[in-house]
Amino acid sequence: MESKIKRIGVLTSGGDAPGMNAAIRAVVRACSYYNVECVGIYRGYQGLIDGDFVALTPRNVSNIINLGGTILKSARSEGFRTVEGRAKAHKNLIDANIDAVVLIGGDGTFTGGMVFNQEYNFPCIGIPGTIDNDIFGTNYTIGYDTALNTVVDVIDKIRDTASSHNRLFFVEVMGRDAGFIALNAGVGAGAEEILIPEEDLGLDRLLESLKRSKRSGKSSSIVVVSEGDKIGKNVFELANYVENNMPQYEVRVSVLGHMQRGGSPSCFDRVLASRLGVKAVELLLDGQTNVMVGVVDNKVVTTDLEKAIKENHEINMELLRVSDIMSI
């Protein structure tokens, strides 16, 4: 594969996600396969500004496919939001003879890459790495499957204690603007109700649903709440409201928080990361830029970064209907 690109940088940015290391490994080894040097950039865009680079070879990424987090670290960078910061980052890339960059992250990461590409015409390819699964142009983002399995496993354990004490548990999961984790984990864990930003259930309907569950003979219930749900100001306020209106329940709240980001990636995420990492390198060597690689209908596809950022990955609302039927 003939190409003017001889040295490719790779970085991870934004929130970490299980499978990012598998993606780094895939980029490094694909570079080696095509006789291209690979450079790791520590701490995302901040590392670009600071010139925090390290050469990576296939042996440097041995035994990381099973590790959560990211060996390249991740950081927010206010400096990269400025013209001066991006200018410094560009100079560091040129001085290091880096010809292109693979960006692993979410919409914030892709926004930075798109702006950088527009200003300097610097080749960038995005790989979607976020547990929220909220990126347009791919059915699945790296880390989403692992996060789902983590949440389902925790809810299974919470249900044991809920059943033992006749309790109603509100379980808050990540998803500030998107309910993918809540909806799918809720169905998978058999939750009685699922609250997501995309669908305003309303307090009255929530109470009626819980009362129906109680009348049907259920002694405990699980409500999965996406952190971006709009019914209450927060999950604790929501729990207080239900407890005041349904004193027959002991109400408890579990906020799963950052445990959802951690852990060894699932096989699905490892395979997805490997496929997208290889394709990202091949696209750069083929002269493509300013696109994201994703998977749609099990085929690797590309989407313009601008489209990936601005358009919405629609949630499968059919699952809410399935959830209602299953909660009877």
Side-chain angles (χ1 to χ4, degrees), residues 108-184:
T109 302
F110 297 160
T111 299
M114 183 181 69
V115 171
F116 193 66
N117 177 266
Q118 290 170 348
E119 289 179 343
Y120 295 101
N121 195 29
F122 196 88
C124 298
I125 297 288
I127 295 178
T130 168
I131 67 169
D132 291 336
N133 202 44
D134 58 349
I135 303 296
F136 181 83
T138 185
N139 291 147
Y140 306 104
T141 57
I142 295 168
Y144 171 62
D145 183 71
T146 305
L148 273 185
N149 287 310
T150 297
V151 171
V152 168
D153 184 56
V154 172
I155 294 176
D156 286 347
K157 291 177 171 62
I158 288 173
R159 188 177 289 282
D160 290 343
T161 193
S163 299
S164 298
H165 295 278
N166 294 345
R167 285 175 177 162
L168 165 61
F169 267 87
F170 283 87
V171 181
E172 184 186 87
V173 301
M174 285 185 167
R176 186 176 65 253
D177 301 310
F180 289 96
I181 293 176
L183 182 55
N184 285 271

Side-chain angles (χ1 to χ4, degrees), residues 67-111:
L67 299 180
T70 162
I71 63 167
L72 292 177
K73 312 298 183 184
S74 185
R76 311 289 180 181
S77 177
E78 291 301 320
F80 197 76
R81 296 176 184 270
T82 67
V83 173
E84 295 78 13
R86 292 191 296 273
K88 189 173 181 182
H90 182 255
K91 182 179 185 302
N92 287 337
L93 287 169
I94 299 304
D95 289 347
N97 296 315
I98 296 174
D99 305 309
V101 176
V102 175
L103 314 167
I104 306 171
D107 55 2
T109 302
F110 297 160
T111 299

Side-chain angles (χ1 to χ4, degrees), residues 276-288:
L276 300 187
V278 169
K279 189 63 175 180
V281 171
E282 291 176 341
L283 288 170
L284 286 171
L285 297 181
D286 196 38
Q288 295 196 49

Side-chain angles (χ1 to χ4, degrees), residues 293-314:
V293 288
V295 61
V296 176
D297 296 332
N298 204 31
K299 293 186 174 70
V300 177
V301 299
T302 61
T303 304
D304 289 342
L305 284 183
E306 184 174 12
K307 195 171 184 181
I309 296 162
K310 292 185 177 180
E311 297 201 22
N312 293 323
H313 181 188
E314 298 295 334

Side-chain angles (χ1 to χ4, degrees), residues 8-15 20-21 23-25 27-28 38-49 52-54 56 70-75 77 80 89 93 98 100-106 108-110 112-113 116 122-129 284:
I8 294 176
V10 58
L11 63 81
T12 52
S13 176
M20 280 185 164
N21 281 325
I24 294 167
R25 173 180 179 269
V27 170
V28 173
C38 189
V39 176
I41 301 162
Y42 283 112
R43 297 175 296 112
Y45 289 124
Q46 192 57 45
L48 277 184
I49 294 173
D52 198 357
F53 305 153
V54 60
L56 294 176
T70 162
I71 63 167
L72 292 177
K73 312 298 183 184
S74 185
S77 177
F80 197 76
L93 287 169
I98 296 174
V101 176
V102 175
L103 314 167
I104 306 171
T109 302
F110 297 160
F116 193 66
F122 196 88
C124 298
I125 297 288
I127 295 178
L284 286 171

